[in-house]
Amino acid sequence: MKFIETLRDGERVGDIYLCKQKTSAVTKNGKAYESLILQDKTGTIDAKIWDPNSQGIDDFEALDYVDIVGDVTSFNGMLQISVKRARKVSEGEYEPGNYLPVSQYDIEEMYQELIRYIESIKDKDYQALLHSFFTDDKEFSECFKKHSAAKSVHHGFIGGLLEHSLSVAKVCDFFAGNYPVLNRDLLLTAAMLHDIGKTKELSFFPINDYTDEGNLLGHIVIGTEMVSDKIREIGDFPVVKANQLKHCIIAHHGELEFGSPKKPAIIEAVALSFADNLDAKVETFKEALESNTEDTYRWQGYNRLLETNIRKTMG
Amino acid sequence: MKFIETLRDGERVGDIYLCKQKTSAVTKNGKAYESLILQDKTGTIDAKIWDPNSQGIDDFEALDYVDIVGDVTSFNGMLQISVKRARKVSEGEYEPGNYLPVSQYDIEEMYQELIRYIESIKDKDYQALLHSFFTDDKEFSECFKKHSAAKSVHHGFIGGLLEHSLSVAKVCDFFAGNYPVLNRDLLLTAAMLHDIGKTKELSFFPINDYTDEGNLLGHIVIGTEMVSDKIREIGDFPVVKANQLKHCIIAHHGELEFGSPKKPAIIEAVALSFADNLDAKVETFKEALESNTEDTYRWQGYNRLLETNIRKTMG
Amino acid sequence: MKFIETLRDGERVGDIYLCKQKTSAVTKNGKAYESLILQDKTGTIDAKIWDPNSQGIDDFEALDYVDIVGDVTSFNGMLQISVKRARKVSEGEYEPGNYLPVSQYDIEEMYQELIRYIESIKDKDYQALLHSFFTDDKEFSECFKKHSAAKSVHHGFIGGLLEHSLSVAKVCDFFAGNYPVLNRDLLLTAAMLHDIGKTKELSFFPINDYTDEGNLLGHIVIGTEMVSDKIREIGDFPVVKANQLKHCIIAHHGELEFGSPKKPAIIEAVALSFADNLDAKVETFKEALESNTEDTYRWQGYNRLLETNIRKTMG
Amino acid sequence: MKFIETLRDGERVGDIYLCKQKTSAVTKNGKAYESLILQDKTGTIDAKIWDPNSQGIDDFEALDYVDIVGDVTSFNGMLQISVKRARKVSEGEYEPGNYLPVSQYDIEEMYQELIRYIESIKDKDYQALLHSFFTDDKEFSECFKKHSAAKSVHHGFIGGLLEHSLSVAKVCDFFAGNYPVLNRDLLLTAAMLHDIGKTKELSFFPINDYTDEGNLLGHIVIGTEMVSDKIREIGDFPVVKANQLKHCIIAHHGELEFGSPKKPAIIEAVALSFADNLDAKVETFKEALESNTEDTYRWQGYNRLLETNIRKTMG
Amino acid sequence: MKFIETLRDGERVGDIYLCKQKTSAVTKNGKAYESLILQDKTGTIDAKIWDPNSQGIDDFEALDYVDIVGDVTSFNGMLQISVKRARKVSEGEYEPGNYLPVSQYDIEEMYQELIRYIESIKDKDYQALLHSFFTDDKEFSECFKKHSAAKSVHHGFIGGLLEHSLSVAKVCDFFAGNYPVLNRDLLLTAAMLHDIGKTKELSFFPINDYTDEGNLLGHIVIGTEMVSDKIREIGDFPVVKANQLKHCIIAHHGELEFGSPKKPAIIEAVALSFADNLDAKVETFKEALESNTEDTYRWQGYNRLLETNIRKTMG
Amino acid sequence: MKFIETLRDGERVGDIYLCKQKTSAVTKNGKAYESLILQDKTGTIDAKIWDPNSQGIDDFEALDYVDIVGDVTSFNGMLQISVKRARKVSEGEYEPGNYLPVSQYDIEEMYQELIRYIESIKDKDYQALLHSFFTDDKEFSECFKKHSAAKSVHHGFIGGLLEHSLSVAKVCDFFAGNYPVLNRDLLLTAAMLHDIGKTKELSFFPINDYTDEGNLLGHIVIGTEMVSDKIREIGDFPVVKANQLKHCIIAHHGELEFGSPKKPAIIEAVALSFADNLDAKVETFKEALESNTEDTYRWQGYNRLLETNIRKTMG
């Protein structure tokens, strides 16, 4: 497949792309045309159908996969495709992994690892709560598996939310072993649930953008309410355990100015905020190092997320 | 009545006080005694019952009102009462207003004013939600009427939560008239509900301290969940209205560093955060000016809450 | 009229525009030409007179209104007008409201409302001071009526200073009624005078930019001096009243880091800073919502002034 | 003389002190007594006249110098003097320098040095302005000579304002020589005038506290207005020079959060803010080192003004 | 043994204490006496020898262990011991663990675990460097074993530096396993060496206070120089490895405002700063929970180091 | 010479430029070409050799001076040179000052002035240390003379490090005279050595960019180690003097958030941080004023380094 980031001015293109947006418009001369945004996992490109009613231009809609034939041209310094033919294709004709960013790990394997952590929880209340999400609620679990953990920044790919939650759980599991003062059951439960609000804060791929609810409430408040709802369904959940767990979720950003309405006030909340922050920072660093494909010059310049100039470790 | 702040070393005291705390202890010589904290609206004082089993010392418990006879002495530079006689009294023997700080306004009158604001709401969804709290839920409304709005700081008295919520609603009502861009129904609903989480964040008087839930979750998250619970009970509440209202509650502190997990993102949230902050600041200023009973020197020194030296306006 | 924001490459234009700047230059080939910036209320556009001495090019200067005939071309991705004919027009030939941003409210009506507030002031000293500005000083009052309240940001249009000052006065009038602890006369006087320094901080339209004095001293210091000057002219103005009023002006930004050399130390200064800040924020929000003409996507993205992603309220 | 900081419990005292405050009061038994605060340059002490009408207790008032005979006792862990005899003394009977902190340099000599700096100014406008303050305005010059530059912190002694202003002028004189880009006349004028507002911000010794005007307006705004007033008296002062000079005064704290309503925008304002800040820091450091009379341990602990642990340089 | 925190006014004491300070002084009557500070692991108490030359008062010096007989009295609200007899005792007569705070783990066992981490390092350069400190330099290793990691705050006890360094190494070992992007050899080397500067920043027990060098340079700079010195001794140490290792030490506080002159710029520096910060926070939390011996009230109030109200986790 | 900033589209160029970078590439058609960055003191320009093997294209490398003949064209809005002929030239054929920014002062004269300051130091230890750098270490002194003090910002030219160090020394010399509390020998020694780490933090011209060591360690730590190394070579250097001097270097940025791991704790460190900061700010201001070649409009707009809008002083 010819990926979008490799297209050059003057080339002819003939390949399947995901149509992310599609809008109709009219030229100054009054002629109707259509404006598309095509996407694959390497980026997006504008495309124009100057003759929408011509033979060879099928009906299709935004979020369809479309086999495009056209010419790459440069307009105002940006590449765009002038589309000659467009055919909507069916599932099976394309490899989804080529169009949307996806975790490098196997999603089902990660999910099984998460389930094993749930089975290792000794506290029956916390375990029941976890099962009510990850085992019993199929709609939730399907959604959780496919979600990203971010619009951009780190873990912004399919399976990213699962990959991040699992990694935070692993780190917390180690912390609980290393620091016996920590309550492992509370900490692991909080680790697995801390970001579940993101399933509603962000929409599914390929959109992967903040929802209205996400913008208004944020994943911390949404996730806390999701936990409260399940606890109500379960019934008989001890109040103190519920409050401690919700506190861990509320406080997991560590500081008020990072959006936590409470600072960590119990030690598991401290440990969770470290695990979450570390996993995010390491992934951010890793993604930043990977995105640097030149190896002639080692310093990558100021990285806005890490707030410093960074480079790959040598030797 | 002889108020606690007027007691002096060497005086004999004989009056009714609220017993805020009561603990048993043993002297170095192995003799049992009891240690009390007595309270009235002017403050608290330590008291000791050195001979708990003597005649004249009735059985009573913390939070009882007790008629105390004793001597005021000085110990380590602090006054304390050596209790000779103690008799638990009944309701009616004392004037509650002497023991607990209370709003200067009539609570029932304020509540009726709040109800009139609810009746002025045109949006049926918001109005139904308000009625479900303030009209239909007797437990909630009784609690709301008696609560303070703070442990210390401003409106830290019985009826303070009602007084503050009503005042914020009045200010918001004016804002809605002055700035037609504002949605009055949403704004007033949010004004009346913005601090309801304080009914669970703070315990009742005379304790009036942060509850476990209050410390762990805070009134912003608690209040948001209370709204969600009522909305679920009501059923058929439009999602966008629910999210906008919850956003106003979540964002009412205005800035992340003041404990709001989201900054105001719709204009009613901006207006509410101003009304809330203004009402708090004006009340803080007023209480600070009132607490200054000397009038010979006008500047009151650095006020920690207002972060500057303040004085009463002259002329 | 053909507004600047609607011009497109290749069009012929023939309409009256305000000439904001005019400079002479020489091409590499040594040929003299003239470079203009033309403006209407929708924006500005560069224009070139390649043949300044040709017939049809009248004499005119910067800030004249000129009837332009020419062709719209694209240069380095920016549109510009190649001017063929240019004729200076007289007052009456054009509608000023098309060229400069202006308040949507009637300036004289707003001014009368301001005068009524002055007449409602009971304190004779404050009232005399207000009359000395708004009634007796014709030069000041003319200037005040036409000024904007900002270079950009909020109220950046003709009449904006008056509109904002009047709105702050209204809000303060309500505050004084709602919080009896406030001295209404002091608060309203301060509200009407708080931004008068802007008449010297910013130049008149169409320039509407910071003056040298404005950059060096700022409207807070300038306005304070203007009040001192009038007080001196009036004579016999009580010192404490003068200092309290000047304090309100000095402190109206609320915090040192926003340019107030003192934090509010009297309660009227607190109230004024809230009224000013609220009015500015609401107007900023309103202008941001209005500038978003698309309605397909509701969230407007990060707003630099409000420091968050915002959207219009729904429902 | 027996200085206050050397008094010990049980001693008899017989010496002249400055009476800083005097208030009448009544004991619980209804007996009238008088409460004094006595001061010398080493500190203050409470004193009581238990028998105000006895022979040997003269009439005197606050701010009189009084010859006191009495006994030092300890009350609540604080020393106080029980006064037996009190006689108001006349000027000449006491050495003023023993009672109020005073500059270690000769005030008249410092003033002559300041005058010589004025005479070195070449710009006639700036020089005339300086003369109008320091030469022609006797009331101002007397006040300026005796004022402190602070309530506490640095230069908080008689002559402190002069000493600090002169030192800042010296440093600026060097800067002007070292950096030719600086306009020496503007910089030195600003150096001498930058803190003149303190003559009204702080009251005279022995009070040396913030005045009402000082609290409300601050020395930056007061000083700017003083300069404006003199400029008006002088007449024909060039506007740009006036604005640049006032800008230097306004911006001399260097940052908004330190109370300057504008940051330095011309290079002389940058240089002045450095000279002022350096002189203050060095004096603060010097005073902190001097106040440490122990030499056994060299580190002085956290210094709140310098925000670090400090010590004297060795070797 | 009778511990200092249990002493009460009026008791007779007869036990061995560590003499932390000893100074000679003279009473007002001219009589020589000696002033001591006695210490055990529960705190310190003042003591006076009013009759230093009496029989029964042996010669001893600061930092000797002394068998004290005396009476506990109260002076200005503080307890002190009036010493009747004092005898310097020899090693073996007292249990050192009673006088100085010490790690709850066995120091030699911890050290062996550290050595095993060194042996697991595959990079020969880093391993040689670690051996040069921990194996070959006996003076260093003895010092390292006994040092605390802080004056107060966390790990402020004998063995605290070793305990903290080992724990950080363990956490980093896990991180290296969990995040393959991390260079384990570099990260573990940095973990073990990151705080070695504390061996010179803080003096030995019982003083355990900042040294002159510690106050002037801090452990970050001192430790970096110690690493440079060993690297020079070893010779042939690759420059890039040296710089990366020193960078990890320099950046281990994570942010400039916490005293790191560089922010983490390589991923191992990020991981180390998390491990160090987490270990410090968990230990701080643990020590805070342990110091709260009351269990009647669960919330401990505002904790200055953790910047929030905290409590033990329940359930 | 035709300077780069004066080149225009369509011109033919024929002059000597410094080749800063040179890379080989291949067009889409598979044809080899070379891409250059040419530099003179006015800026840089891209250049392409489309026919690298043609006669007239000599062999040369990056950092050679090359006589270029070619045509200036515009590509994507940027100018570039299409190179027709390229000849490597020898030293003597070009004037180095045209290619690299250089101090306006004579480097040798400045150096002699620095040496005179060294000779004025009375403390033999400090003087010996200074000689060991500036007199005895030829490699260091050559490097020091030619280095810049910054990549961009202030003193970013050949000789800039010397010019800045000398200026800081002059200012410190004045401070030592004006404030006798300062130890002149320590202060001047620290002034001359405070930025020597920049000789390793930044590479030589024409690169003048951060080195790997510079990015990882920074000039503060590097410079401190350089001082330690010389002190070891000298031997017998008093420890307290060494620590005080190193403290001054470490603390010379004044605040932790500016990269100093310690705040100034001795008064010379305070004075040095002021001198350094002042010299940097004045030079920054001067360079900003010089870079503004227009004089029609006086305010230069927001200056990112000075964090305000600035202008040249008038009058």
Side-chain angles (χ1 to χ4, degrees), chain B residues 12-33:
Chain B
R12 162 135 300 206
V13 66
D15 232 319
I16 297 169
Y17 299 101
L18 169 62
C19 175
K20 195 171 184 181
Q21 277 186 31
K22 186 184 181 196
T23 49
S24 297
V26 177
T27 66
K28 288 188 185 162
N29 309 339
K31 200 164 165 315
Y33 69 98

Side-chain angles (χ1 to χ4, degrees), chain B residues 8 297-299 309 311, chain D residues 28 209-210 212 215-216:
Chain B
R8 292 290 173 271
Y297 190 66
R298 299 164 318 180
W299 286 90
N309 190 355
R311 75 152 162 81
Chain D
K28 288 186 185 166
D209 201 353
Y210 289 98
D212 194 55
N215 266 314
L216 288 170

Side-chain angles (χ1 to χ4, degrees), chain E residues 77-283:
Chain E
M78 304 282 289
L79 294 183
Q80 65 175 215
I81 298 176
S82 176
V83 178
K84 304 302 173 200
R85 289 209 308 269
R87 179 181 60 87
K88 180 178 169 183
V89 301
S90 321
E91 237 175 277
E93 290 190 67
Y94 56 90
E95 168 54 43
N98 284 342
Y99 298 91
L100 298 172
V102 67
S103 171
Q104 61 187 109
Y105 301 104
D106 184 89
I107 287 178
E108 289 305 326
E109 280 178 23
M110 287 194 287
Y111 205 74
Q112 287 317 308
E113 203 171 344
L114 194 80
I115 296 297
R116 283 193 296 276
Y117 276 113
I118 295 174
E119 284 161 4
S120 78
I121 301 286
K122 298 202 174 103
D123 182 288
K124 291 307 157 201
D125 297 308
Y126 290 137
Q127 195 182 48
L129 178 65
L130 289 166
H131 277 306
S132 76
F133 277 107
F134 294 102
T135 319
D136 307 342
D137 186 337
K138 295 306 173 199
E139 189 182 355
F140 169 80
S141 62
E142 281 316 298
C143 174
F144 184 83
K145 283 179 191 173
K146 288 186 189 153
H147 239 80
S148 84
K151 179 181 171 186
S152 50
V153 199
H154 66 91
H155 294 98
F157 44 75
I158 293 176
L161 177 58
L162 170 56
E163 183 179 325
H164 171 61
S165 301
L166 180 61
S167 184
V168 170
K170 272 187 210 174
V171 173
C172 285
D173 190 30
F174 167 77
F175 286 171
N178 201 50
Y179 298 109
V181 68
L182 292 166
N183 178 328
R184 182 183 182 273
D185 287 352
L186 170 57
L187 181 56
L188 259 81
T189 303
M192 289 184 261
L193 295 176
H194 81 284
D195 264 353
I196 56 172
K198 287 192 174 172
T199 57
K200 300 187 179 177
E201 187 187 40
L202 292 163
S203 56
F204 275 111
F205 277 99
I207 300 301
N208 192 38
D209 202 353
Y210 289 97
T211 61
D212 195 54
E213 185 182 5
N215 266 315
L216 288 170
L217 306 183
H219 70 274
I220 280 188
V221 169
I222 296 170
T224 307
E225 290 215 21
M226 289 170 70
V227 167
S228 293
D229 288 350
K230 284 286 186 220
I231 282 175
R232 184 184 311 100
E233 289 173 22
I234 291 174
D236 273 340
F237 201 96
V239 170
V240 171
K241 286 184 188 175
N243 285 338
Q244 291 182 157
L245 174 60
K246 291 199 284 183
H247 173 74
C248 288
I249 296 173
I250 281 171
H252 84 261
H253 284 187
E255 300 286 344
L256 301 195
E257 57 265 40
F258 302 151
S260 272
K262 282 281 176 185
K263 277 191 63 116
I266 57 176
I267 199 166
E268 291 77 15
V270 171
L272 174 61
S273 75
F274 267 87
D276 176 47
N277 197 357
L278 170 77
D279 195 65
K281 275 268 175 57
V282 168
E283 178 71 16

Side-chain angles (χ1 to χ4, degrees), chain D residues 24-34 49-54:
Chain D
S24 297
V26 176
T27 65
K28 288 186 185 166
N29 310 337
K31 201 164 164 316
Y33 69 97
E34 282 176 349
I49 305 180
W50 297 114
D51 205 357
N53 302 314
S54 73

